[in-house]
Amino acid sequence: MSEKGICSVKGVKAYGFKDGKNGIAVISTPGRCVGTFTKNKVQAAPVVYSQNLLNEDPGIDNIIVNSGCANAFTGERGLKDARWMSKQMEGRNLVCSTGKIGSYLNRDWIQTAVEKAVRNIDTENGGIEAAKAIMTTDTEVKSIKIERDNYTVAGIAKGAGMIEPDMATMLAFIFTDIEIPQKEMENNFTKAVDNTFNMVVVDGDTSTNDTALLISTGKAEAEYTKNKKQVWKDIENVCKELAKKIAEDGEGSTKLIELSITNAKTEQEARKAAKTVLNSPLVKTAIYGEDPNFGRIVAALGRSKTNFHPEQIEIKINGKTVVKQGTINIDKEITEELKEKTIKIQINLNNGNAEIKGWGCDLTPEYIKINAEY
Amino acid sequence: MSEKGICSVKGVKAYGFKDGKNGIAVISTPGRCVGTFTKNKVQAAPVVYSQNLLNEDPGIDNIIVNSGCANAFTGERGLKDARWMSKQMEGRNLVCSTGKIGSYLNRDWIQTAVEKAVRNIDTENGGIEAAKAIMTTDTEVKSIKIERDNYTVAGIAKGAGMIEPDMATMLAFIFTDIEIPQKEMENNFTKAVDNTFNMVVVDGDTSTNDTALLISTGKAEAEYTKNKKQVWKDIENVCKELAKKIAEDGEGSTKLIELSITNAKTEQEARKAAKTVLNSPLVKTAIYGEDPNFGRIVAALGRSKTNFHPEQIEIKINGKTVVKQGTINIDKEITEELKEKTIKIQINLNNGNAEIKGWGCDLTPEYIKINAEY
């Protein structure tokens, strides 16, 4: 991980710190922004506020993020608090919160914290400090950077480990200094998020606060039209690497599951199949237990309402065939594979041309401990 | 629990026993039958066989059930085995299997076991022995009986604790001696199952083998038309009590969750809301930890795609209001309630007239232990 993190992107400065259970991060990033926000019916106040701000105009100056209090299910007062928080720095500022639902922002603490963070915003490793400040039950800092000759794409995220431990909030902030036309950002970012962050399953609970933002500062010299294809590949890769880190760092997890569905009838069906398998407690506990119960994968596929013929599907675990022609194969070699830290499940539905990748983790006693006690 | 169990129903005899991980139950019940079967795309061979048999003609003689091997994902050979198993007693016989997916029936064992069970079918407590024989990770025998002056309704079930521990198979067999017209059985049993067994959530995994059967032997003197309303109330109550027992005995569970959704826009939405809350790992771990994180219930409702206004919902825990007018109330009295063995969650969506009840359990480290190690 680069020491400069997102601050490698020209025009981006950041700093953050934690103070017990609370954290603050400020990211100065004058530029244009697109965002994708939680589809949960209960949207947290900062989500409502930030979405409205971007609907008015994509130009922004700063992102202010607090951890420890989600400012969700807080009604009118919550909306006022979100607006107030956005005014703690000059300019048009997005706000994000993550933490406990149903309690109000502590304005005093946030005011002092933002001031302190702003004073330190020229710190060299400020990007990494910001990434640390938004961590909650995350055990690893999530920061990814791709530097090209003439532009940079970098991002930070906090994981779907529940916050506080109230919520599985995912926050992701992606920055690039290449100038991308707004229309292109709107058209392509949702797709990148759909193929990456939206294919991460930790526990199937989605948050009131989930937010992914892409900001283009336009400070790089590179010309967009010449680099277009590479730029979006880089953006999707930054999202994908952050998504994998989120899955790998799922609460209490000991293993990363990399799932691919191939030859599905439609992409929608491929997604449904992938999410059902990644979400199955039986599959997740089997992976945790290094237990070759591949029937559980078949049963999860069966209830996913995906079209396939049971006799025609093929399943491989870490490259080794375990299901083919309607029979399940378990040998010693495969049992050994289950001891690996990363488990690759490849499911070939042999029923079309659509495909998708997804990421998840095992379900462990530690997950329950984290979420039952606090 | 009555010692005679389902054998209190006139015309029903039963016996069963376990032999290590394998079990057999035979139920002699000449009568007419309707069934509801798993909607999993991968249907086990006995499900395919029994469904076909009932499609031809509802008249049956016996039900033969084995535990230990699900005879699922076993292709042509599995279908042959199911047909063969149904021939181990004379007459038109249904077969049910529960256990590990992807392995074949042990014909030798089953043949000998059925013979032994048939020899003992006049044993007085044979109904209870049959209920015991189909248990797997179940910790309690599930047998319910309602005796009226002139007819009886009784049922046994095995739970959604995964089998072997491969599957969350639920089997339920309901018997009555009152003669119910076939059309009435077809019209009403699905509804009873939808309101009871289909509202139980243990871990959201549905099985290749799930089966619920209702058999009318017609041996009671009571006349159907005069008792119609009471009979269906009794049948639904037997189903409901068995469903509750299944939820209460979910693998590794320490608490029963009784959930009611009221004033939803549509029944379908009420169902969706109930299932999403009962299925939420965050809600389930909070209940296990006796942790008043009621924001988790709100967040689960929010992602259930149910229509409601966050400010208008009311949530009660064991009769005490915890969410009202957009705020969350946590006091000491409520924290005390969470120590109860049964947690009643009442959610009033204030958005219509539809309602539904559902049952679930907490998520505990023991669940993971059961499912990761075997």
Side-chain angles (χ1 to χ4, degrees), chain A residues 33-74:
Chain A
C33 178
V34 290
T36 69
F37 297 91
T38 182
K39 293 188 178 70
N40 196 304
K41 177 97 186 164
V42 181
Q43 285 193 324
V47 169
V48 174
Y49 179 82
S50 294
Q51 224 167 350
N52 287 343
L53 195 84
L54 290 180
N55 284 343
E56 280 169 19
D57 188 304
I60 63 154
D61 293 298
N62 304 288
I63 309 170
I64 307 173
V65 193
N66 77 289
S67 58
C69 167
N71 190 11
F73 208 65
T74 46

Side-chain angles (χ1 to χ4, degrees), chain A residues 39-42 73-76 100-102 104 162 165-168 203-208 251 276 279-283 285-286 288-296 298-303 305-311 313 323-328 330 363-374, chain B residues 39-42 73-76 100-102 104 162 165-168 203-208 251 276 279-283 285-286 288-296 298-303 305-311 313 323-328 330 363-374:
Chain A
K39 293 188 178 70
N40 196 304
K41 177 97 186 164
V42 181
F73 208 65
T74 46
E76 273 306 310
K100 195 164 177 175
I101 296 182
Y104 298 106
M162 294 83 183
D166 247 321
M167 284 303 307
D203 59 9
D205 267 310
T206 60
S207 150
T208 50
E251 278 176 348
T276 309
N279 222 344
S280 161
L282 288 179
V283 171
T285 48
Y288 167 65
E290 303 177 349
D291 179 358
N293 271 330
F294 306 121
R296 293 180 178 187
V298 174
L301 285 174
R303 72 179 165 88
K305 300 194 171 76
T306 309
N307 285 297
F308 65 91
H309 306 286
E311 313 281 306
I313 56 172
V323 171
K324 199 175 178 175
Q325 291 175 332
T327 59
I328 296 176
I330 302 167
L363 175 60
T364 72
E366 189 63 19
Y367 170 90
I368 291 171
K369 203 175 158 221
I370 292 169
N371 285 293
E373 297 161 18
Y374 92 119
Chain B
K39 292 189 177 70
N40 196 303
K41 177 97 185 163
V42 180
F73 209 63
T74 46
E76 273 305 309
K100 196 165 177 175
I101 297 182
Y104 298 107
M162 294 83 184
D166 248 320
M167 284 302 306
D203 59 8
D205 266 312
T206 60
S207 152
T208 51
E251 278 176 347
T276 308
N279 222 344
S280 160
L282 288 179
V283 172
T285 47
Y288 167 66
E290 300 176 350
D291 179 0
N293 271 331
F294 307 122
R296 293 180 179 187
V298 175
L301 284 174
R303 72 178 165 89
K305 300 194 172 74
T306 310
N307 284 298
F308 65 91
H309 306 286
E311 313 281 306
I313 57 172
V323 171
K324 199 175 179 175
Q325 292 175 330
T327 60
I328 296 176
I330 300 168
L363 176 60
T364 72
E366 189 62 19
Y367 171 90
I368 291 171
K369 201 174 159 221
I370 293 170
N371 286 292
E373 298 161 18
Y374 92 118

